[in-house]
Each structure stands twice: as structure tokens, then as C-alpha cells.
């Protein structure tokens, strides 16, 4: 009875890849270049991270001379030991609030129209290309546009409001506009200018989120008899909401840190007054009449105050500016953390 001999077991050394004769040096060179590129990218990343940590450490170390709880409860002062960021915090609050009210509906609506409703045409392609270009335009350019358009319009309204004009508010009472202080460099002008800065980013982020929604959801909804608008409103937008929310929040965090457009439109650099005289959350409830004054009042913002403190000749203001940077970083990190948490919990509820 014949017995077929079993093949001998192959050692681990025999299972290694063998280079083809004549190609050995070429493949080894490619592997070496790949390894060098990988180590170069790793070194660049770690170097940038190290520089960032050094800068943050320097800022935190410098801020130890002033950072305290009273720094966020005091307004600006000529005394570095008493200077605080309360006016900048409230100014940034009102600025971001109205920026969100202007930019979110327009940005998300434009993205929905371009992705879900508009037919592919030359004009639509031009709009998309221009949106990508506008997202990279320096913020100071938008500040110049805001100064030319919004601040000039506000100046015309100031002249008109100087008369004895009055309006009816919801038919309940008559508001004398001459008693309502209106400034050319008010919060609304700043919010409209910042809306121009972040609108391209909001639109592009919303478009990408809408593109990520599988087409099968649209087809299934239409097949079940839903209209196009019902499909968009009840299926596509909820599915794209995590990506849209993330893009919007990150855009808002950019608006919080911008200073150049606000300086261009004439926002105050040195002030101890909060918009509308509201310097605590309690006054929002106890004095609701001041809410009407806040959007039309002068303001400052956190980046502007930091910029002003960094220019002061007194060396003690370095600690004040560093403390302002720490507060601004906390606000920005809060925005980013909110984006991450919101995206996480929103994505858990998706069932594709």
C-alpha cells in the first residue's frame, strides 16, 4: 500500500516575503523612503505639539500673577491689579447670540437648497466654487465690508432715530426711539459682520453633512409617498444634524476668537460698560427693558481686550493679557467640547 509522504513543515523564515531578483534594490528603496516619510510626519507632528505645549505653559505661567475669580467679575480698569474681563465676556455673549441668529438659519437653509433642491447648473457650480473661496478669505476683508455696508447703514439709522419717531411694540406700548440710545458701532453691526465671516464655513460644513446621508434614505422616503420637502425635513436633516451641529459650533468658536473684523468696524477697545448695562444673569430677568438696549449699544469683546492689554507699556499688563487668553481658551474649549458631545449623542440615535 503506497503512502504519499507529507510535505515538510515550512519554517517561519521560509514564509517571509522574497524579493524578485532584479527588483530587490528598488523595493528596498521604496520601503526606506516610506519609512523616512512616516518618521518625518511624526517628527513634524510632535514638534508642533511641543511648541503648542510650550506656548500654553508660558501663557499659564504668566497668568498666575492675575488670574483669579474677580478677573471675570470685574470690568476693565486702569489698574492692572483690578482689570477684569466682564465687559468682554458680555460683549462676546451678545455678539455670538445674534451671530448665531443670523448665520445658522441662512447658512443651513442655503446648504439645504444647494444640495437637495437646486438643479445642477452653471450658476450652482459657480456659487459652490465661490463659497469655497470665501471660506479662505481673511477676516479683515469681511471687516472692511461690514464697515462699508453695516456701519454706514447704522449711521443713517442713528440720524433717523434722532427725531421724535416712535413705534408700537406688539400693540402693547409705544416706544419712543429718541429715548433708545443707538450707536454706529453697536452689537448688531458686529454680529452681521461676524455672520459674513462664518457663513461660508457653516454652508460648506452643512453641505458635507447632507452629502454624507445615504441616498437610500431619500429613495425609501419618496417611495413611501412622502413629498420632497417631507423627505428633507423629516429624514435628511435629522440624519445630517450631528454634522451640521458640529460645523455650526466650530464656526461659532471661530467667531469668538476673531478680533480684526471687530476692530475694523470700530468696536471699543477700552470700556468698563456692558451692552445694555447688563452685567449679570439676574438683570436679564429683573430688568428686561435693558434687553432692547443691548443690541443697539456699544460693546467690546474678549479678543479686543486681550489685544489692548498686550499693547500696554506697563509690564504688569502681561499677566492680565495672559489671564484673558486663559479665559478665552476656556470658552473655546467649551465650544469644542460641546460639539464633540453633541455629535456623539446625536450619532447614537441614528439608525441607518
Amino acid at each position: 500500500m503506497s503512502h504519499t509522504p507529507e510535505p515538510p513543515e515550512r519554517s517561519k523564515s521560509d514564509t517571509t516575503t522574497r524579493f524578485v531578483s532584479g527588483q530587490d534594490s528598488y523595493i528596498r528603496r521604496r520601503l526606506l523612503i516610506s519609512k523616512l516619510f512616516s518618521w518625518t510626519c511624526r517628527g513634524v507632528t510632535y514638534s508642533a505639539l511641543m511648541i503648542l505645549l510650550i506656548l500654553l505653559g508660558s501663557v499659564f505661567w504668566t497668568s498666575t500673577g492675575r488670574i483669579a475669580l474677580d478677573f471675570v467679575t470685574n470690568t476693565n480698569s486702569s489698574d492692572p491689579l483690578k482689570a477684569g474681563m466682564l465687559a468682554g465676556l458680555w460683549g462676546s455673549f451678545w455678539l455670538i447670540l445674534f451671530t448665531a441668529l443670523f448665520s445658522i438659519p441662512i447658512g443651513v437653509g442655503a446648504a439645504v437648497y444647494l444640495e437637495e433642491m437646486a438643479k445642477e447648473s452653471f450658476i450652482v457650480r459657480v456659487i459652490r466654487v465661490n463659497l469655497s473661496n470665501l471660506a479662505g478669505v481673511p477676516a479683515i476683508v469681511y471687516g472692511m465690508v461690514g464697515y462699508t455696508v453695516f456701519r454706514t447703514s447704522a449711521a443713517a439709522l442713528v440720524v433717523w432715530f434722532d427725531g421724535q419717531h416712535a413705534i408700537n411694540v406688539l400693540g402693547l406700548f409705544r416706544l419712543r426711539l429718541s429715548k433708545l440710545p443707538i450707536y454706529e458701532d453697536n452689537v448688531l453691526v458686529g454680529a452681521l459682520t461676524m455672520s459674513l465671516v462664518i457663513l461660508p464655513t457653516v454652508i460648506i460644513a452643512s453641505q458635507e453633512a447632507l452629502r454624507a446621508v445615504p441616498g437610500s434614505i431619500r429613495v425609501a422616503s419618496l417611495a413611501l409617498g412622502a413629498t420632497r420637502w417631507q423627505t428633507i425635513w423629516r429624514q435628511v436633516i435629522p440624519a445630517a444634524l450631528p454634522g451640521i451641529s458640529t460645523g455650526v459650533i466650530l464656526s461659532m468658536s471661530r467667531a469668538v476668537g476673531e478680533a480684526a473684523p471687530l476692530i475694523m468696524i470700530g468696536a471699543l477697545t477700552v470700556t468698563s460698560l456692558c451692552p445694555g448695562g447688563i452685567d449679570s444673569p439676574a438683570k436679564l430677568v429683573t430688568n428686561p427693558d435693558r434687553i432692547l438696549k443691548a443690541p443697539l449699544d456699544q460693546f467690546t469683546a474678549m479678543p479686543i481686550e486681550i489685544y489692548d492689554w498686550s499693547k500696554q507699556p506697563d509690564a504688569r499688563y502681561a499677566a492680565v493679557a495672559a489671564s484673558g487668553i486663559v479665559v478665552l481658551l476656556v470658552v473655546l474649549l467649551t465650544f469644542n467640547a460641546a460639539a464633540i458631545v453633541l455629535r456623539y449623542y446625536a450619532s447614537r440615535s441614528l439608525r441607518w
Side-chain angles (χ1 to χ4, degrees):
M1 183 175 182
S2 62
H3 178 72
T4 304
E6 296 182 359
E9 295 184 359
R10 299 175 62 183
S11 62
K12 293 183 179 180
S13 60
D14 295 333
T15 60
T16 58
T17 304
R18 301 290 185 181
F19 295 127
V20 180
S21 177
Q23 299 292 329
D24 182 78
S25 59
Y26 173 72
I27 295 177
R28 289 183 184 278
R29 185 168 62 251
R30 288 183 58 185
L31 293 176
L32 179 61
I33 294 174
S34 177
K35 185 176 294 186
L36 289 175
F37 180 75
S38 175
W39 279 101
T40 301
C41 293
R42 188 176 302 177
V44 170
T45 303
Y46 290 156
S47 299
L49 182 60
M50 185 177 300
I51 294 173
L52 177 61
L53 292 177
I54 292 173
L55 291 176
L56 290 177
S58 175
V59 168
F60 280 99
W61 178 262
T62 307
S63 66
T64 55
R66 180 62 189 93
I67 191 70
L69 181 61
D70 64 335
F71 182 74
V72 295
T73 58
N74 292 348
T75 55
N76 201 356
S77 173
S78 58
D79 186 359
L81 300 179
K82 297 180 180 179
M85 213 174 189
L86 183 64
L89 282 169
W90 277 102
S92 294
F93 166 77
W94 290 108
L95 182 69
I96 296 304
L97 174 64
F98 287 103
T99 300
L101 292 178
F102 293 144
S103 61
I104 293 177
I106 297 175
V108 177
V112 170
Y113 173 76
L114 291 174
E115 287 298 318
E116 302 294 333
M117 297 181 177
K119 296 182 179 180
E120 191 67 27
S121 63
F122 174 75
I123 296 178
V124 173
R125 289 195 296 269
V126 169
I127 292 174
R128 288 173 179 169
V129 171
N130 286 332
L131 284 173
S132 301
N133 294 333
L134 289 173
V137 172
I140 188 64
V141 176
Y142 293 107
M144 297 170 64
V145 175
Y147 179 86
T148 304
V149 179
F150 302 129
R151 198 173 189 274
T152 304
S153 302
L157 289 176
V158 169
V159 175
W160 186 77
F161 283 170
D162 281 340
Q164 299 298 317
H165 302 283
I167 58 174
N168 290 320
V169 179
L170 300 178
L172 301 177
F173 59 92
R174 192 170 179 82
L175 179 63
R176 183 70 63 84
L177 296 178
S178 59
K179 295 183 178 180
L180 191 63
I182 302 174
Y183 299 90
E184 299 176 4
D185 48 348
N186 55 57
V187 174
L188 288 181
V189 172
L192 289 171
T193 304
M194 297 308 298
S195 297
L196 294 179
V197 175
I198 67 172
L199 258 179
T201 307
V202 172
I203 295 175
I204 292 174
S206 301
Q207 284 182 295
E208 294 297 331
L210 292 170
R211 290 194 193 113
V213 178
S216 57
I217 293 181
R218 300 174 178 84
V219 174
S221 178
L222 294 173
L224 291 175
T227 63
R228 192 169 188 179
W229 169 245
Q230 289 175 332
T231 300
I232 294 172
W233 181 252
R234 298 182 181 180
Q235 303 297 328
V236 177
I237 293 181
L241 192 59
I244 294 175
S245 303
T246 303
V248 167
I249 294 176
L250 294 180
S251 300
M252 290 297 137
S253 65
R254 178 191 175 184
V256 171
E258 287 287 355
L262 302 180
I263 295 175
M264 190 66 194
I265 65 173
L268 300 177
T269 55
V270 180
T271 182
S272 59
L273 301 176
C274 301
I278 301 175
D279 55 5
S280 65
K283 290 186 178 180
L284 290 172
V285 180
T286 58
N287 298 313
D289 57 316
R290 296 188 179 184
I291 299 178
L292 295 175
K293 300 178 181 180
L296 304 175
D297 201 355
Q298 291 177 306
F299 73 102
T300 187
M302 292 184 287
I304 296 180
E305 288 192 322
I306 295 171
Y307 170 74
D308 179 67
W309 289 329
S310 64
K311 296 190 305 177
Q312 297 299 324
D314 192 341
R316 293 178 297 175
Y317 274 102
V320 182
S323 301
I325 294 173
V326 171
V327 175
L328 182 58
L329 284 175
V330 171
V331 174
L332 293 177
L333 291 176
T334 302
F335 270 97
N336 294 338
I340 294 172
V341 173
L342 184 62
R343 184 181 182 88
Y344 172 73
Y345 283 102
S347 60
R348 288 181 60 184
S349 61
L350 293 180
R351 294 293 182 269
W352 288 355

